[in-house]
Amino acid sequence: MTPAKTNRRRRLDLAKVPEATAQGIDERFQVATPLRRVFNKVFPDHWSFMLGEIALYSFITLLLTGTFLALFFDPSMAETTYDGSYAPLRGIEMSKAYETSLNISFDVRGGLIMRQMHHWAALLFMAAIVIHMFRIFFTGAFRKPRELNWIIGLSLFWLGLTEGFAGYSLPDDALSGTGLRIADAIVLSIPLVGSWVATSLFGGEFPATEILPRLYILHVFLVPGIILALIVVHIGLVVKQKHTQWPGPGRTNHNVVGIRMFPGFAAKGGGFFMIVFGVIALLGGLLQINPIWLFGPYKTAVVSAGSQPDWYVMFLDGSTRLMPAWDIHIPLGDGYTIPAIFWPTLVLPGLLTVLPMLYPFIEARLRRDKQAHHLLQRPRDVPARTALGAMAIGFYLVLVLSGANDVIAEAFDISLNATTWAGRIGILLVPPIAYYLTYRICLGLQQHDREVLVHGVETGIIRRLPDGRFMEVHQPLAPADAHGHGALDYAGAPVPKKMNRLGAIAPAVRGFFFPIEKPATPALPPAATPVSPAVPPQQLEDAGTQQH
Amino acid sequence: MTAPPERRKRSPLRRPAGPPGKLRRRIGTTARLLAALIVVGGLYTAFSPGMQATADDEVVLSPAAAEGKQLFETSCISCHGRNAQGVPDRGPSLIGVGSAAVEFQVGTGRMPLTSQGAQAERKTPQFTLDQARQIGAYIQALGDGPELPLPGEDLGKGGDVAHGGELFRVNCSSCHAFGAGGGALSSGKSAPTLEESTDREIYAAMLTGPSSMPVFGDNQLTPDEKRDIIAYIQNLQTDPDPGGWGLGRVGPVPEGLAIFLIGMVAIVFTTLWIAGKS
């Protein structure tokens, strides 16, 4: 080693490495211009905008854990005799699929936590999709120009349901076999083509030997591929059409106020992914899910009490339980029957797919609204839509609870018949009641906003008037007119309701675990009255008279 | 009362001594007829209602059954009747239910009932297990019926857990559920959890079919198969959940609840925290 060489190496300036690397990349691929656009992309900031991200991050977790499971799983329905570590099943006849699922749980290192994380992530994926969908619906984010993304989102829900059901069926335990048995019955109930479709799907009379390999390829390749493609389009459309934002100072239909993609949003997203992954890992490690070793291998004679699908399919189980046994007999030829199960398991999901997909267009038509909207609406400002959403949620909840009605009956010592009838009556009564109550609550909240805009914020200060009456002093939000009323228009944006929102009290110290800034000094000395003299005492008296 | 049995005892001893004469045959016939009449009359006196015949019962009943009779008369008689023949709209006849049924119903606290309902619930027993067995002995003496093996035996010992699991899933899980946590039946009835059931209770339940449960007699499930099932349930009771907290082993319902109440709540609070930072 000559000293000259050492010197040259020392001259390598670490601080310039990123710059030099970036330079090198750009010289080769010319990506600086498009990347700058991406890095500078602005995203509005609100907690509710992160709900969709939960679904995305659980999906990534699903891909990671699913790949691990696929290394050890064999979807074969070939018979074998179990000889693994779980003693209570040793010597029992079962399929290869069930045996390899047991091996993943008991003999593959880290297999059980991977299986449990995979299942919890699936439940979280569907939960996040549903909660995200609520947010989109109640804030009007599906309106023009975002109708297509709403439709893609709904498709993702149904694809996720299909994917989840396929995954639930794969281990070939008694519970998944029961689920497949019901699926078979549902397919059989399709008028005219039912029996042909069922035999084609299962490759013969249920359970045959073909269904698991077919569900497997559906579960690990086809459906996740479509989901991934749709997620790319979904997010691509958000970037292209820009994210919606809440109305507020400086925010219009023609701008986006928020933080840049890089570094702010990327850091937040990356951190949030770690947290979602961490929560899934904690659930997978601490809470037991789908204990397939207790269910035993699937035998057509085995049906356990409390056999339920995962929560996102439970509403269909509920609709089946509530449906009275109304078979329709058509006296054609040898006679033909449309079984009762056809309506709650095929017609209902069909309606629940088509109606929401058309909803953006129906609403635009009813409102004669052809504008593009980039500002969100507060749920209270569109009472009809909010009430409709509450009605739908009420309908859905009754179905989900009915899907669990035997567990509810057992847990709360209620007759199973009573819970079924409660569901039948509830499915008719709960939606309209939810509609009415939500509508009234929305109007009430609007009314309170208007009241504050007109009369000002309640101060909590009670003043006694010369004639002995008491009245509460209000802080107007703007200079008042001759009647002591504020001159602000209702804008559909949040209205301050407390004095400390107006700076009467110093804002709370920021920081979660410890203060991240010096507490601000109060705008007013403590002795001074927090009420500004916008209204002369004379008018205050008038205002008091009008109020009562 | 004591003379005729003595006569009956002696006569078979004498018989091989030689061919009886005509007179002796006649005397013997008369004596046998007399003895039979006395036995019939005695039994009638003992069991006929409205007659005081305590002295005769002591002969028929073992000491345990006599104790049981006392307990029966203080606690069970109002619904099951003076002679366990049942009272319409209150309680069924207990003739032929056997001591196994009594030990199960009284030993688990189901009997005496606190109120008429869809079915008897397990509660703190009113009698000790010994007292329950005494009542059982009395009911057994009245009309026979299924009996349990002697107390003190481990009824699941040496059972084949895997085979028991298979039998459990085919015969029991449709009501008691795969985790033996119980399940709802129609019209307010339910299959109870087997978490706290002892071996004898499970054995007695299979043998006697309490409430809506079918009877699994020794023709349906042999004593060996019953032992296997008990061994499997014992295994369920003691086996820790390898995956963490078992959520009551109820299946997808509590799992769905957990993903919203634990997973979703934790993550939504995180979004609030992250969004509050900027």
Side-chain angles (χ1 to χ4, degrees):
Chain A
M1 274 239 201
T2 61
K5 265 188 181 170
T6 328
N7 280 347
R8 201 180 292 160
R9 197 163 277 178
R10 276 212 184 121
R11 237 180 279 143
L12 181 76
D13 188 357
L14 272 179
K16 285 196 172 157
V17 167
E19 189 190 328
T21 315
Q23 186 75 32
I25 291 174
D26 190 44
E27 279 164 6
R28 286 167 183 83
F29 305 108
Q30 290 85 43
V31 286
T33 313
L35 271 184
R36 184 174 295 125
R37 267 183 71 96
V38 173
F39 282 176
N40 285 342
K41 188 86 191 163
V42 168
F43 286 91
D45 193 32
H46 191 263
W47 69 268
S48 67
F49 300 166
M50 300 168 81
L51 297 172
E53 283 176 58
I54 305 174
L56 176 66
Y57 300 146
S58 355
F59 186 70
I60 295 172
T61 315
L62 280 167
L63 291 182
L64 294 174
T65 51
T67 306
F68 180 91
L69 297 177
L71 296 177
F72 302 98
F73 180 70
D74 175 8
S76 156
M77 291 169 93
E79 285 282 312
T80 176
T81 306
Y82 181 69
D83 191 29
S85 311
Y86 188 64
L89 284 174
R90 223 173 272 158
I92 298 285
E93 292 274 312
M94 56 181 65
S95 64
K96 288 288 279 180
Y98 185 56
E99 187 196 28
T100 46
S101 306
L102 287 175
N103 289 345
I104 289 173
S105 308
F106 293 109
D107 294 298
V108 174
R109 198 167 290 266
L112 183 55
I113 191 175
M114 284 294 175
R115 240 198 75 223
Q116 300 204 132
M117 277 179 71
H118 193 70
H119 206 128
W120 283 119
L123 298 193
L124 186 65
F125 177 64
M126 293 305 288
I129 286 180
V130 170
I131 303 279
H132 175 58
M133 191 152 54
F134 289 169
R135 202 282 291 171
I136 300 293
F137 182 83
F138 286 118
T139 59
F142 56 81
R143 291 174 298 167
K144 188 180 170 187
R146 296 182 178 80
E147 301 98 330
L148 179 63
N149 234 9
W150 166 256
I151 291 172
I152 292 176
L154 273 167
S155 316
L156 279 169
F157 171 82
W158 287 107
L159 282 167
L161 187 142
T162 313
E163 175 74 348
F165 182 76
Y168 172 93
S169 305
L170 280 181
D172 202 26
D173 55 82
L175 197 57
S176 59
T178 306
L180 273 178
R181 187 53 166 148
I182 297 171
D184 176 52
I186 291 170
V187 176
L188 279 173
S189 79
I190 306 173
L192 299 177
V193 294
S195 38
W196 280 276
V197 176
T199 21
S200 321
L201 271 180
F202 285 83
E205 184 67 30
F206 178 86
T209 52
E210 293 302 314
I211 187 69
L212 285 192
R214 286 176 184 178
L215 283 176
Y216 183 68
I217 205 68
L218 217 66
H219 182 76
V220 300
F221 174 70
L222 200 57
V223 181
I226 300 173
I227 290 180
L228 192 61
L230 284 184
I231 287 178
V232 170
V233 177
H234 198 68
I235 295 173
L237 277 176
V238 171
V239 172
K240 176 76 184 74
Q241 299 178 327
K242 305 195 175 50
H243 204 291
T244 50
Q245 60 184 348
W246 288 103
R251 294 168 187 180
T252 70
N253 212 14
H254 307 288
N255 69 359
V256 181
V257 181
I259 56 168
R260 290 195 188 281
M261 174 79 190
F262 196 84
F265 189 78
K268 270 171 61 172
F272 190 41
F273 168 68
M274 305 285 178
I275 290 172
V276 171
F277 188 91
V279 169
I280 294 171
L282 276 177
L283 287 170
L286 296 177
L287 298 191
Q288 177 168 291
I289 187 165
N290 202 29
I292 51 165
W293 53 90
L294 292 179
F295 306 147
Y298 181 58
K299 300 269 158 70
T300 38
V302 174
V303 179
S304 168
S307 288
Q308 253 92 13
D310 279 336
W311 76 264
Y312 46 85
V313 190
M314 220 173 272
F315 73 106
L316 293 177
D317 198 325
S319 65
T320 311
R321 290 177 190 209
L322 295 190
M323 181 76 193
W326 291 338
D327 291 344
I328 300 176
H329 300 285
I330 303 166
L332 275 179
D334 297 334
Y336 194 84
T337 303
I338 301 177
I341 193 178
F342 175 65
W343 309 104
T345 56
L346 284 165
V347 174
L348 180 79
L351 286 176
L352 292 185
T353 316
V354 174
L355 280 182
M357 280 187 176
L358 292 180
Y359 183 78
F361 305 103
I362 297 172
E363 194 193 284
R365 184 75 180 262
L366 289 177
R367 291 181 190 279
R368 295 194 181 81
D369 178 6
K370 292 183 180 168
Q371 302 291 313
H373 297 279
H374 301 286
L375 283 179
L376 296 172
Q377 291 170 308
R378 294 187 306 164
R380 70 184 67 171
D381 293 328
V382 198
R385 179 202 297 148
T386 308
L388 204 63
M391 188 166 158
I393 292 178
F395 181 80
Y396 181 82
L397 273 183
V398 172
L399 290 185
V400 172
L401 290 178
S402 299
N405 67 356
D406 58 328
V407 175
I408 293 171
E410 166 75 359
F412 296 102
D413 263 333
I414 310 167
S415 161
L416 181 60
N417 305 40
T419 57
T420 305
W421 275 102
R424 284 177 179 165
I425 296 166
I427 200 79
L428 299 175
L429 285 188
V430 168
I433 292 173
Y435 185 94
Y436 178 77
L437 286 182
T438 314
Y439 204 101
R440 300 313 302 179
I441 290 171
C442 285
L443 291 186
L445 289 170
Q446 266 189 43
Q447 185 59 32
H448 192 242
D449 281 359
R450 289 177 204 277
E451 214 173 282
V452 171
L453 287 174
V454 173
H455 293 299
V457 180
E458 293 181 3
T459 59
I461 298 168
I462 307 293
R463 179 169 288 172
R464 191 175 186 189
L465 300 182
D467 58 6
R469 285 177 302 153
F470 291 95
M471 60 164 291
E472 183 175 5
V473 178
H474 286 69
Q475 166 65 54
L477 293 175
D481 62 11
H483 301 290
H485 290 165
L488 290 173
D489 286 332
Y490 187 84
V495 172
K497 299 272 175 81
K498 287 188 175 144
M499 283 303 282
N500 53 356
R501 293 272 171 164
L502 301 177
I505 303 165
V509 179
R510 274 152 54 91
F512 199 80
F513 296 113
F514 49 85
I516 55 171
E517 61 187 14
K518 233 178 99 181
T521 43
L524 297 164
T529 163
V531 182
S532 65
V535 190
Q538 180 60 42
Q539 285 180 5
L540 231 165
E541 233 170 275
D542 294 346
T545 326
Q546 281 170 4
Q547 265 179 341
H548 297 290
Chain B
M1 284 292 291
T2 44
E6 272 173 26
R7 228 177 243 263
R8 284 174 75 197
K9 261 185 203 166
R10 232 179 281 147
S11 49
L13 285 175
R14 277 191 187 175
R15 221 170 252 158
K22 204 178 181 182
L23 181 68
R24 280 180 66 185
R25 275 216 307 276
R26 277 196 179 165
I27 293 175
T29 314
T30 317
R32 277 200 289 280
L33 185 67
L34 206 63
L37 281 173
I38 288 173
V39 168
V40 170
L43 280 175
Y44 176 76
T45 323
F47 287 108
S48 69
M51 289 221 177
Q52 294 297 320
T54 342
D56 293 341
D57 280 351
E58 272 163 17
V59 178
V60 179
L61 295 179
S62 66
E67 287 287 324
K69 185 175 192 296
Q70 291 287 320
L71 293 169
F72 182 88
E73 279 170 357
T74 49
S75 299
C76 317
I77 203 164
S78 57
C79 296
H80 291 293
R82 183 184 285 268
N83 299 301
Q85 81 281 22
V87 175
D89 300 329
R90 283 204 213 150
S93 161
L94 300 183
I95 305 301
V97 300
S99 60
V102 178
E103 187 179 328
F104 176 85
Q105 299 283 357
V106 178
T108 59
R110 286 179 167 81
M111 292 289 149
L113 274 182
T114 41
S115 63
Q116 297 278 356
Q119 76 182 31
E121 295 298 328
R122 188 190 186 101
K123 55 184 183 287
T124 316
Q126 297 294 302
F127 296 101
T128 65
L129 213 49
D130 283 336
Q131 288 172 319
R133 285 182 190 137
Q134 285 166 352
I135 304 175
Y138 173 60
I139 297 298
Q140 187 74 25
L142 286 187
D144 233 346
E147 282 179 286
L148 284 178
L150 288 176
E153 204 180 317
D154 183 355
L155 295 173
K157 195 176 177 185
D160 179 352
V161 174
H163 186 229
E166 210 162 24
L167 291 169
F168 180 86
R169 287 188 289 274
V170 173
N171 292 298
C172 318
S173 72
S174 55
C175 298
H176 292 284
F178 55 83
L185 302 174
S186 59
S187 304
K189 291 181 207 143
S190 67
T193 169
L194 306 181
E195 254 167 66
E196 40 189 335
S197 301
T198 65
D199 300 352
R200 281 178 76 79
E201 284 163 15
I202 299 167
Y203 197 98
M206 286 192 277
L207 214 51
T208 62
S211 194
S212 316
M213 183 165 163
V215 173
F216 294 92
D218 287 350
N219 291 333
Q220 283 86 28
L221 290 171
T222 64
D224 273 352
E225 289 174 329
K226 288 196 175 77
R227 197 183 55 200
D228 293 348
I229 290 179
I230 290 173
Y232 180 74
I233 296 172
Q234 281 177 344
N235 180 72
L236 275 183
Q237 289 168 338
T238 51
D239 221 21
D241 289 312
W245 179 31
L247 293 170
R249 292 181 181 171
V250 183
V253 173
E255 291 163 8
L257 218 54
I259 198 61
F260 280 96
L261 294 185
I262 302 174
M264 216 52 199
V265 164
I267 293 174
V268 166
F269 269 105
T270 314
T271 65
L272 289 168
W273 175 51
I274 293 178
K277 282 283 185 189
S278 52

